[in-house]
Amino acid sequence: MKLQALTDTAGIATPYDTIWATAAVPTKPPQGIERVMLAEDKLYVVLAVVLIIWFGLILFIFRTDRKLDRLERTLQERFPEANTGLSS
């Protein structure tokens, strides 16, 4: 019976409807990064984030390649007879 008391005239409601409908939403002017994100030119923010991600991935790939090269050279120095079938 309590569920019927919480529904509105359309029959669709939640127990929180009455709580949130009357509550005042506190607002304050945007500051700092919020001002940048809420500005009209959001495209530049998205572009900057995407570029940072791409530069991070490229840096990661180059560092991994350099580490693999160093590891291959170390293996060639330690085991020269095993490298006869490898092409470099």
Side-chain angles (χ1 to χ4, degrees), residues 8 21 25 47 57 69:
D8 61 358
V25 178
L47 179 64
L57 286 173
D69 286 342

Side-chain angles (χ1 to χ4, degrees), residues 1-8 11-15:
M1 294 297 171
K2 282 189 176 185
L3 291 176
Q4 290 176 351
L6 293 175
T7 60
D8 61 358
I12 301 171
T14 63

Side-chain angles (χ1 to χ4, degrees), residues 45-62:
V45 175
V46 173
L47 179 64
V49 170
V50 169
L51 286 175
I52 289 171
I53 292 171
W54 276 108
F55 284 132
L57 286 173
I58 290 170
L59 179 67
F60 173 74
I61 290 171
F62 280 123

Side-chain angles (χ1 to χ4, degrees), residues 18-35:
T18 56
I19 296 170
W20 296 110
T22 59
V25 178
T27 59
K28 63 179 184 176
Q31 298 174 358
I33 192 71
E34 292 175 356
R35 212 174 326 128

